[in-house]
Amino acid sequence: MTSSWLSYSFQDRETSSPCPSSWSGATLRRLSALTSALVVAFTIPAFANEEPNYSPRTYELTLRAISAYEEIADSGGWQALPPAAAGLRIGAKGKFAKALRDRLTATRDLDPSLPPSSEFDQATQDALKHFQARHGLSETGSVGRLTMLALNVPVEQRLRELDASANRLAALKFKFGERYIVSNIPAAALEAVDNGVVARTYTTVVGRPDRASPTLQTRVIAVNILPYWNAPQSIFKADIMPKLQKDPGYLKANHLRLYRGRQEIDPTTVDWSKARASDFLAKQDPGVWNSLGFLRIDMPNSDAVYMHDTSHRELFRNDVRFQSSGCIRVAGAQDLAAWIMEGSDWSGQAIQDQIDSGEPKTIKPAKPIPVAWVYLTGWGGPDGSVQFRPDVYNFDTPADQLVAKDANAQPTPVDRTGSVPVAPPKATKPATPKPIAAKPISASKPAVPAKPLVVKPVSAKPVTVKSPATKTVTVKTIPVSVSLPAN
C-alpha cells in the first residue's frame, strides 16, 4: 500500500515524558507494578500454542494464498464499497449492507452458500470480524475508517503484496532453531517460538516510515535490566535539539545528562542556537522514565537496533503502531525476557526483584536465541487464512508508482531483498512440538463455516514473481484446495 493508507501523525514520543527529579525505591516498585498491570490490560494474549506465522512452511503457504487470490481475480475480484457504507453496523439494511455482504463473500469471509440478503445480520458481523482479524485490525464488527480502507484494496494489489512477500521469503536464509523469536514489521507483532509452536505473542511498536525498522537476522545474547539510554545522534539532532532551543531545562526534566566527549556538562551553559548536535551526547538514567523502559534486549547487528520495553505503553492500544525510531518496543518485554532466560538462573520473579532493587544489571541466557525481523505484507497463515498488513514502508510498490512531494518522506530501505531463488531455501527441520499447558488461542478462528475455495490445477499457468531488484522469476504454483474461513 502507499502511504495514503495511513493518515495519522508519526510523532516520536520516546523522550517527551517529564517526571520528578528523584524516585524512592518504594515508588519505583509501585510504578513498576502499575505499568506491568497496564501492559497485561491491553496486550493480545501472551500464550498462543499454535504454529507460528513465520516458519519453514510459510513460503509454501504463501504460494497457496497466491493461487487462491488468483482464483478470486479470475472470478472478477470484488467491488469497492461506496463512501456511504462507512459506519455500517449490525442491524443495518439496504443496498450498502448487501454490498458489504458481497464484498465479504468474495474473499470467503462470509460463507458463499448463505442465501442473498440485504441485512447486516449476525453472520455478517462475524464475517467482518474475521476480515478484521486477517488484516490486523480491532475486531469491532463495524465498518470503521481503517476497515473501510482495507475492504476497498483491489485484488490486484493484494496479489502484488503476496508476490512481494513470497519473494522476500524465498530469499531468507534464516536458521530455524528449537527456540527463536520473529517480529513481522508490518504486523507490529512478535512471536516467541518453542519447538515449532508459539509460546508467546506480543504486540509491538515498530519504526515509523522515515525511521524504518530494518529486516535482519541475529541472536539475543543478553538482557539489560534498568538500562541507560544513549540517544542516537539522529534523535538528538531531530528531536532533542529543537526542545533544548526552547527549554534548556528539558534534559533535566527527562533525566537526561549531557556530555561533550566524556565530560558531563551543564546544558544551560550551551548556546543552543549555535550548537552542533555532533558535538554532544545525551544519556538517560535508568528508571521508569527511561525511553527503554525497564529492559533492553541485546541483539548485535549492523543497524544498532534492538528490542526493548518503553515508558509509553499507551501506544500498544492502537491499531496503527508505526511510531518508533527504528527499534522495536515490546508490550510485555519483561515476560519476553523471562522466556529468553528459561534454562538459566533468572526467573521472571528474579528479573522483577532486580528491577525493584534499582540497580542496573546485564544477564545472559543459557544459549543465544535466534531472531528474525521480517517484512511480510501478505502471507498464508498456518490456519489456512490469508493475512494482510499495510505496506507502511512502500516496499511492495514499484518506485515509478510512488508519488511523494518530499523525497525525504520515503525511507531508505534497510537490508532489502535482492535476487530471488527459484526454490525456497532449505530450513532446518523443526523439532516435534511439545505440549504447552496454556489454552490454545486463535485470532482468526472462524464463526461461520466456510466452503473450501477449490483452486483448479494451474501447473500450466505460471505465477510471475517480481523482486524489488526488478528481476523476474517464474515459480510454478502448486494445485491446492484452500479454505478461507468465513468468520
Side-chain angles (χ1 to χ4, degrees):
M1 286 181 201
T2 63
S3 57
S4 62
W5 195 92
L6 305 164
S7 55
Y8 51 84
S9 172
F10 295 98
Q11 180 183 5
D12 192 328
R13 304 170 65 180
E14 286 187 326
T15 60
S16 61
S17 177
C19 297
S21 58
S22 63
W23 298 80
S24 67
T27 301
L28 183 60
R29 284 191 291 274
R30 286 196 297 272
L31 287 169
S32 173
L34 175 61
T35 52
S36 295
L38 287 173
V39 167
V40 172
F42 54 70
T43 57
I44 56 181
F47 299 90
N49 195 26
E50 59 187 15
E51 186 178 345
N53 279 298
Y54 178 50
S55 74
R57 291 203 320 135
T58 307
Y59 180 87
E60 177 187 353
L61 291 171
T62 302
L63 290 184
R64 295 182 182 184
I66 291 172
S67 295
Y69 267 64
E70 283 189 327
E71 184 80 2
I72 294 173
D74 291 343
S75 299
W78 52 78
Q79 295 295 318
L81 295 178
L88 279 176
R89 61 185 64 249
I90 194 166
K93 296 181 180 180
K95 61 181 181 179
F96 298 134
K98 182 180 184 303
L100 175 62
R101 287 177 61 94
D102 291 343
R103 168 64 184 87
L104 295 171
T105 300
T107 46
R108 307 303 192 266
D109 293 286
L110 182 65
D111 188 346
S113 69
L114 292 175
S117 173
S118 298
E119 180 180 358
F120 192 137
D121 56 10
Q122 186 62 54
T124 307
Q125 184 182 66
D126 291 342
L128 184 59
K129 286 183 177 181
H130 181 259
F131 175 91
Q132 290 169 329
R134 290 197 302 114
H135 293 75
L137 301 171
S138 294
E139 296 173 47
T140 62
S142 60
V143 184
R145 182 177 63 88
L146 295 179
T147 298
M148 184 75 161
L149 289 169
L151 285 165
N152 283 346
V153 174
V155 67
E156 294 79 12
Q157 183 168 333
R158 290 308 189 198
L159 276 168
R160 184 169 69 236
E161 291 162 356
L162 289 166
D163 284 345
S165 293
N167 283 348
R168 289 188 283 267
L169 284 166
L172 289 175
K173 304 290 184 181
F174 186 61
K175 296 181 179 179
F176 296 93
E178 290 185 6
R179 304 177 85 229
Y180 66 93
I181 296 169
V182 59
S183 177
N184 184 14
I185 295 168
L190 180 147
E191 294 176 331
V193 182
D194 196 341
N195 283 287
V197 296
V198 177
R200 303 283 196 279
T201 301
Y202 304 94
T203 300
T204 66
V205 173
V206 300
R208 64 201 209 192
D210 60 330
R211 299 180 185 180
S213 296
T215 57
L216 55 79
Q217 298 178 37
T218 181
R219 300 186 301 168
V220 169
I221 62 169
V223 173
N224 309 128
I225 300 175
L226 294 176
Y228 286 90
W229 178 57
N230 295 315
Q233 278 294 313
S234 59
I235 291 179
F236 188 88
K237 181 177 181 180
D239 301 330
I240 298 177
M241 279 275 285
K243 293 181 174 69
L244 282 170
Q245 290 167 354
K246 296 178 181 178
D247 177 17
Y250 171 80
L251 291 180
K252 184 177 180 180
N254 287 276
H255 300 269
L256 284 155
R257 301 176 187 272
L258 185 69
Y259 292 84
R260 182 185 281 120
R262 295 186 177 182
Q263 181 179 2
E264 183 176 355
I265 62 174
D266 183 351
T268 62
T269 64
V270 178
D271 182 354
W272 292 107
S273 64
K274 299 178 181 179
R276 295 188 309 172
S278 58
D279 292 337
F280 302 97
L281 170 69
K283 185 175 184 179
Q284 192 174 41
D285 293 332
V288 69
W289 51 79
N290 191 282
S291 294
L292 306 184
F294 296 122
L295 294 166
R296 182 185 107 137
I297 297 173
D298 190 6
M299 35 176 273
N301 60 88
S302 60
D303 295 290
V305 291
Y306 40 84
M307 299 176 291
H308 63 89
D309 188 16
T310 180
S311 56
H312 287 285
R313 293 176 172 85
E314 72 279 1
L315 296 177
F316 295 122
R317 289 176 291 190
N318 301 331
D319 276 346
V320 179
R321 299 184 300 277
F322 306 97
Q323 290 121 331
S324 85
S325 293
C327 293
I328 291 182
R329 310 177 198 180
V330 182
Q334 194 169 326
D335 184 75
L336 176 60
W339 181 83
I340 290 169
M341 299 306 295
E342 286 181 6
S344 74
D345 295 333
W346 286 89
S347 64
Q349 185 58 53
I351 292 172
Q352 182 63 58
D353 291 343
Q354 187 65 40
I355 292 172
D356 293 343
S357 75
E359 295 294 326
K361 190 175 185 64
T362 294
I363 58 179
K364 296 184 177 181
K367 62 170 61 175
I369 308 293
V371 177
W373 290 8
V374 299
Y375 193 91
L376 304 179
T377 52
W379 72 96
D383 60 353
S385 66
V386 183
Q387 299 282 326
F388 294 102
R389 298 297 185 272
D391 179 21
V392 68
Y393 299 160
N394 288 322
F395 283 4
D396 298 344
T397 306
D400 58 359
Q401 293 184 21
L402 292 176
V403 179
K405 294 181 181 179
D406 182 359
N408 294 326
Q410 301 302 330
T412 300
V414 182
D415 192 21
R416 291 286 298 275
T417 300
S419 58
V420 180
V422 173
K426 294 182 179 179
T428 57
K429 186 177 181 181
T432 302
K434 61 183 180 181
I436 291 181
K439 184 179 179 181
I441 297 174
S442 174
S444 302
K445 186 175 180 181
V448 181
K451 286 189 175 182
L453 174 64
V454 178
V455 182
K456 299 177 181 179
V458 291
S459 56
K461 181 180 179 182
V463 176
T464 300
V465 180
K466 295 183 178 179
S467 72
T470 70
K471 181 178 179 180
T472 301
V473 178
T474 299
V475 181
K476 290 188 177 180
T477 56
I478 306 169
V480 295
S481 175
V482 178
S483 175
L484 297 178
N487 189 341

